[in-house]
Amino acid sequence: MSVATDRPLRIGEVAMAVGTTARTIRYYEELGLLGSATDRPAGAHRTYGPADVDRLREIMRLRDLLGVSLDELQEIVEAVEARAALRVEFERSHDDARRQEILVEALGHIDRQLELVRRRVAELDGLEQELTARRRRVKTLLRVPT
Amino acid sequence: MSVATDRPLRIGEVAMAVGTTARTIRYYEELGLLGSATDRPAGAHRTYGPADVDRLREIMRLRDLLGVSLDELQEIVEAVEARAALRVEFERSHDDARRQEILVEALGHIDRQLELVRRRVAELDGLEQELTARRRRVKTLLRVPT
DNA sequence: TTGCTCCTCACGTCACGTGAGGTGGC
DNA sequence: TTGCTCCTCACGTCACGTGAGGTGGC
């Protein structure tokens, strides 16, 4: 779907792709949410790969949909990193007990996020119920079915 | 469920009831989201009735669940007011054509809000799908069913 | 009268927006 | 070389948080 060249992207391209601004991306880097290339010379352009784009997209989705502060996001991102690290360890490990441990931990991370998502959905469902109830009342008064 | 006295509430009580702070309530009043008692002497305590509490609760819900800015909220609140005014007019009117018009307009307001709510729910559903998919993969690796 | 909550400034903070002035890559 | 996007300060803004100092009602 996207342009399939693997050429590194510049900050403006990334911003456009994920629907934000360059300023926001720099800000997230400053906060440590994005992890900057440590070898970038002062004043040089930032470059990004597909993994960076995915990561930013996920951060923004959590921010928007769950309404968490960037402080809380920091924690979530750390958990995501931890999961990635665990994944690598998992792939390499041949210790079955350790592999089990890693999976259980990963499950915990996922379940905590699911909790947040489901609570939100429930709240939104409540709002939707109310709105549809109102809608029905108005419709009834209009004498037009459904 | 709540304390059933109809005694007017003070700002701290309202804040506690709806889960916010006095500062926020004053700020919303300043922005015109809440409509202040124009006859309150300078320095006198603010008082609130049940209708005020309901209104604040609705504003906060829209803010949190839909993630709209207070600027956009302003518009929504105005729409809510308009609807209330139309409701009064509707009750009093004996002109059937006018009554129809009012209902149609009310329907439009409701449908616009439903649109926002449903879009959000769809986005959250997407996120939930992804998380449950991940969960399933981990579970499979753990060799524990569901 | 003593606490408590309230009041009004007013400055601080978080998550960016928005220029100002300058440098770097097709 | 000319545009364009990028860079780094740095101040502005929105939605409040947080005292500072003072007044008002059970």
Side-chain angles (χ1 to χ4, degrees):
Chain A
M1 297 307 153
S2 63
V3 183
T5 63
D6 276 356
R7 166 180 66 79
L9 299 173
R10 291 187 295 178
I11 196 166
E13 298 172 305
V14 174
M16 181 75 90
V18 307
T20 185
T21 67
R23 173 66 170 115
T24 295
I25 296 177
R26 289 191 201 102
Y27 182 59
Y28 287 2
E29 177 186 319
E30 188 184 329
L31 292 184
L33 279 173
L34 280 179
S36 55
T38 48
D39 55 342
R40 184 172 63 94
H45 289 192
R46 291 167 177 82
T47 58
Y48 301 89
D52 298 315
V53 175
D54 287 347
R55 181 186 180 126
L56 181 56
R57 229 191 279 272
E58 187 168 353
I59 288 175
M60 289 182 56
R61 194 160 57 161
L62 293 174
R63 181 198 67 181
D64 290 339
L65 295 183
L66 302 183
V68 297
S69 73
L70 296 190
D71 234 42
E72 297 165 303
L73 250 186
Q74 193 93 339
E75 293 172 36
I76 293 181
V77 166
E78 276 163 26
V80 169
E81 309 248 286
R83 231 170 26 124
L86 283 179
R87 192 189 182 95
V88 170
E89 190 190 340
F90 178 82
E91 303 288 352
R92 302 215 169 121
S93 173
H94 295 285
D95 175 353
D96 266 17
R98 179 64 187 136
R99 284 169 66 101
Q100 289 287 103
E101 264 180 55
I102 290 171
L103 289 174
V104 169
E105 198 165 337
L107 207 61
H109 290 159
I110 294 171
D111 284 345
R112 253 162 304 180
Q113 277 201 46
L114 267 176
E115 244 303 287
L116 287 176
V117 172
R118 287 185 176 142
R119 198 174 309 162
R120 280 247 139 183
V121 170
E123 289 170 346
L124 279 165
D125 276 350
L127 184 50
E128 186 175 352
Q129 300 286 324
E130 272 185 44
L131 287 171
T132 52
R134 278 190 215 166
R135 205 187 126 88
R136 241 190 320 273
R137 285 199 294 275
V138 172
K139 279 284 190 181
T140 301
L141 289 172
L142 268 171
R143 284 161 200 88
V144 177
T146 308
Chain B
M1 300 308 150
S2 63
V3 182
T5 63
D6 277 357
R7 165 179 66 81
L9 298 172
R10 290 187 296 176
I11 197 166
E13 298 172 305
V14 174
M16 181 76 90
V18 307
T20 185
T21 67
R23 174 66 170 112
T24 295
I25 296 177
R26 289 191 202 101
Y27 182 58
Y28 286 3
E29 177 187 320
E30 188 185 328
L31 293 183
L33 279 173
L34 280 179
S36 55
T38 48
D39 54 342
R40 184 172 63 94
H45 289 190
R46 290 168 178 81
T47 58
Y48 301 89
D52 298 314
V53 175
D54 286 346
R55 181 185 181 129
L56 180 56
R57 229 191 278 272
E58 188 167 354
I59 288 175
M60 290 182 56
R61 192 159 60 161
L62 293 173
R63 181 198 66 180
D64 290 340
L65 295 183
L66 302 184
V68 296
S69 73
L70 296 189
D71 234 43
E72 298 165 302
L73 251 186
Q74 192 94 339
E75 292 172 35
I76 293 180
V77 167
E78 276 163 27
V80 169
E81 309 247 286
R83 231 170 27 124
L86 284 179
R87 191 188 183 94
V88 170
E89 190 190 341
F90 178 82
E91 303 289 353
R92 302 216 170 122
S93 174
H94 296 285
D95 175 351
D96 265 16
R98 179 64 187 137
R99 283 170 67 103
Q100 288 288 101
E101 264 179 55
I102 290 170
L103 289 174
V104 169
E105 198 164 339
L107 207 59
H109 289 159
I110 294 171
D111 283 345
R112 254 163 304 186
Q113 278 201 45
L114 266 177
E115 243 303 285
L116 288 176
V117 172
R118 287 184 176 142
R119 198 174 309 162
R120 279 249 139 183
V121 169
E123 290 170 346
L124 279 166
D125 277 349
L127 184 49
E128 185 175 354
Q129 301 285 324
E130 271 185 45
L131 287 171
T132 52
R134 278 190 214 167
R135 205 188 127 89
R136 242 191 320 274
R137 284 197 295 275
V138 173
K139 279 284 190 181
T140 301
L141 289 172
L142 268 171
R143 284 161 198 88
V144 178
T146 308

